[in-house]
Amino acid sequence: MTNQHPVKIVETVLRDGHQSLAATRMRMSDMLPILEQLDDIGFWALEAWGGATFDSCLRFLNEDPWERLRTLRRHLPKTPIQMLLRGQNVLGYNHYADDVVREFVNRSVDNGVRVIRIFDALNDVRNLEVSMRAAKQAGAHVEGAFVYTISPYHTNETFLQVARDLVSLGADSVCIKDMAGLLAPYDAYDLVKKLKSEITVPIHLHTHYTSGMASMTYLKAIEAGVDIVDCALSPFAMGTSQPATEALIAALEGHERDTGLKKEALYPIADHFRSVKKQLAETFKLNTAMDIDTKVLTFQIPGGMLSNLLNQLKEQGMADKYPELLEEMPRVRADLGYPSLVTPTSQIIGSMAAFNVMLGRYKVVPREIKDLARGKYGRTPAPIDPELLKTIIGDDPIITHRPADDIAPQMDKFRQELAEKGFPNASTEDVLSYAVFPEVALEFFEKNRK
């Protein structure tokens, strides 16, 4: 049988797989022995950088994330390295000036990234303009992503409109980013069909196994014509990670969307990572056995986030209010315009729900909630009730323009700050590390740059 349209796979074991199941603790030494074998498989890309890896390298592993990227590039000459970028947030939690965003993208590409997946928590494409154009100019494959979530304001038509906008900004492919495992199989079929009917660039689907539906969702998306899917090698698959690479390859063997990849070639690689996972669990005292949590389908917050919120209540002696918190979270999300629950909006909504349960509804409003309500993070999918808006922000001005327009250039300022702190000859990469994670980067420099 001639296979005209094989499903392409992005392997996530080097980034999202261990971010999901091992707290992003995989070290460069864990990856090095197996990189050449991974490079020979024929994956569309290897997702190996960005997301939480940058912070984790500096904060927990005493590794330079830029040096990690250069090492990966040397050992992966055939397979493109993919990274995840949060648009105007880069890899942090706040918006940065355009010069920081451009420089970060340029240095990422120069150091080895070939595919950049770029998303915004609110699906506000104004927050993607600068990073997508910079990635395009730098010569990377630009993958514009929209965050999949469920609400009365999120429909296949609204997702299609975001996809159109991403293509108009130069996206070489469009990714459905289902970070919480909310996309059901038949909904995936309908959404992919809708996108394929109008979007001419490849459609890529990323999901998590959190709700238990991911493999079924991939199969229906493949039937609908999805071009690329994200999978993780079996030791770092399932739970809150992606479907298993070997299983998907096996499921499609001999069929018209056969991947053409050999699952047998993955067995020794999976054995290596099985050993790595065991070592990480022992070294970092990790629980790497993440259970499926179908509650995510109701609350849209993965189990790890729910456990953090429960701990907050316990610290205040209010653990009995946990059921109220579970009911309050969807209410707060609706109040604040149905933002998707992904970094940083998931943390913001969760904290507001906890405050409401502990202290009374909107009696205390954190600064981040005020910023979200007045548009500092971008446009919320739905409008916020005017009376509630007044309660939250008082007389603070509403931001209707692109939020980053208010941020003056920052690169020279960060470079000067580093010089004053004892690092006058910092590389551009080090300045960028400091820009995104100042305290953590400084501590790393003190250990490694003197």
Side-chain angles (χ1 to χ4, degrees):
M1 183 177 63
T2 304
N3 187 2
Q4 300 293 335
H5 189 198
V7 174
K8 298 181 175 69
I9 294 178
V10 170
E11 173 56 57
T12 70
V13 70
L14 301 180
R15 204 284 295 178
D16 206 5
H18 71 99
Q19 180 172 319
S20 297
L21 297 184
T24 331
R25 294 299 196 274
M26 196 184 291
R27 302 153 295 194
M28 196 64 241
S29 58
D30 300 318
M31 305 175 190
L32 266 175
I34 209 74
L35 290 178
E36 278 81 4
Q37 284 176 257
L38 268 176
D39 197 32
D40 286 338
I41 296 299
F43 292 119
W44 188 77
L46 281 161
E47 192 198 42
W49 211 63
T53 60
F54 199 96
D55 182 15
S56 187
C57 278
L58 293 168
R59 190 184 301 266
F60 301 115
L61 305 178
N62 196 39
E63 289 187 22
D64 183 342
W66 299 99
E67 185 55 40
R68 173 181 287 201
L69 177 55
R70 289 187 286 268
T71 303
L72 288 165
R73 179 184 62 185
R74 285 195 299 273
H75 291 271
L76 300 169
K78 303 172 193 170
T79 312
I81 296 169
Q82 177 176 305
M83 78 166 291
L84 179 67
L85 189 80
R86 297 182 191 133
Q88 207 71 31
N89 290 6
V90 188
L91 297 177
Y93 305 102
N94 303 299
H95 283 185
Y96 295 90
D98 291 344
D99 64 333
V100 173
V101 176
R102 288 192 196 96
E103 196 63 66
F104 199 99
V105 169
N106 289 338
R107 301 315 301 148
S108 299
V109 175
D110 286 349
N111 281 280
V113 169
R114 292 291 171 264
V115 181
I116 306 185
R117 176 181 294 166
I118 307 175
F119 79 100
D120 174 68
L122 295 175
N123 288 336
D124 187 340
V125 294
R126 298 174 305 170
N127 294 332
L128 305 178
E129 292 171 6
V130 171
S131 51
M132 286 183 68
R133 288 186 175 130
K136 197 81 171 173
Q137 288 169 2
H141 176 106
V142 183
E143 181 160 280
F146 63 81
V147 176
Y148 180 83
T149 187
I150 298 169
S151 85
Y153 288 84
H154 291 88
T155 65
N156 285 355
E157 195 55 52
T158 61
F159 291 133
L160 175 60
Q161 185 53 55
V162 179
R164 291 187 192 113
D165 293 341
L166 294 171
V167 172
S168 72
L169 287 174
D172 298 301
S173 58
V174 168
C175 178
I176 306 164
K177 180 177 167 56
D178 176 26
M179 69 288 164
L182 301 174
L183 184 56
Y186 289 100
D187 293 335
Y189 183 91
D190 293 341
L191 177 56
V192 171
K193 274 287 187 189
K194 184 98 173 166
L195 293 170
K196 293 293 289 182
S197 72
E198 191 168 326
I199 303 299
T200 55
V201 302
I203 304 300
H204 193 154
L205 177 55
H206 167 92
T207 191
H208 287 251
Y209 226 98
T210 315
S211 68
M213 296 193 295
S215 292
M216 295 181 281
T217 294
Y218 273 2
L219 201 55
K220 292 305 293 184
I222 288 165
E223 289 176 4
V226 80
D227 299 280
I228 315 164
V229 294
D230 286 0
C231 293
L233 277 165
S234 52
F236 284 94
M238 319 286 273
T240 51
S241 182
Q242 281 79 51
T245 310
E246 306 97 306
L248 188 83
I249 291 171
L252 298 176
E253 280 177 347
H255 296 276
E256 59 181 348
R257 302 297 311 280
D258 192 323
T259 65
L261 305 181
K262 302 302 178 196
K263 63 182 183 299
E264 292 79 9
L266 291 171
Y267 296 162
I269 304 175
D271 287 341
H272 167 80
F273 283 114
R274 198 166 287 111
S275 172
V276 166
K277 183 179 178 184
K278 187 169 181 284
Q279 290 171 8
L280 293 180
E282 292 170 356
T283 303
F284 296 104
K285 306 293 187 289
L286 300 173
N287 172 22
T288 57
M290 302 292 185
D291 293 331
I292 285 171
D293 182 7
T294 52
K295 289 197 298 292
V296 73
L297 296 171
T298 300
F299 307 116
Q300 299 202 27
I301 294 187
M305 181 78 186
L306 287 172
S307 60
N308 288 340
L309 293 168
L310 176 57
N311 287 335
Q312 279 185 42
L313 292 178
K314 282 179 179 175
E315 286 168 9
Q316 301 299 321
M318 295 184 175
D320 60 310
K321 289 187 176 287
Y322 186 59
E324 289 178 49
L325 178 66
L326 295 184
E327 293 177 7
E328 179 64 8
M329 238 171 318
R331 282 199 292 261
V332 171
R333 181 172 177 250
D335 288 344
L336 294 169
Y338 291 102
S340 58
L341 297 179
V342 66
T343 302
T345 47
S346 54
Q347 291 88 338
I348 294 170
I349 297 297
S351 295
M352 188 70 256
F355 275 117
N356 282 359
V357 166
M358 291 187 290
L359 304 170
R361 299 202 89 221
Y362 302 107
K363 298 297 185 189
V364 173
V365 179
R367 168 51 56 187
E368 291 83 1
I369 285 287
K370 294 181 180 181
D371 287 343
L372 177 64
R374 71 189 191 91
K376 193 171 180 181
Y377 291 95
R379 272 190 297 257
T380 54
I384 298 172
D385 177 76
E387 285 186 25
L388 178 61
L389 190 59
K390 181 75 173 171
T391 299
I392 292 174
I393 69 170
D395 296 323
D396 288 356
I398 299 289
I399 298 170
T400 56
H401 51 269
R402 188 181 74 106
D405 288 342
D406 292 336
I407 308 173
Q410 294 173 311
M411 280 299 291
D412 288 345
K413 175 176 78 81
F414 289 136
R415 194 178 294 277
Q416 181 63 34
E417 285 179 16
L418 261 186
E420 291 169 0
K421 293 176 189 297
F423 302 96
N425 301 312
S427 66
T428 299
E429 284 84 352
D430 279 354
V431 175
L432 290 165
S433 296
Y434 172 76
V436 184
F437 298 108
E439 293 174 10
V440 176
L442 269 180
E443 189 175 331
F444 177 83
F445 298 155
E446 290 289 344
K447 289 181 196 168
N448 298 280
R449 297 285 188 265
K450 289 197 169 176

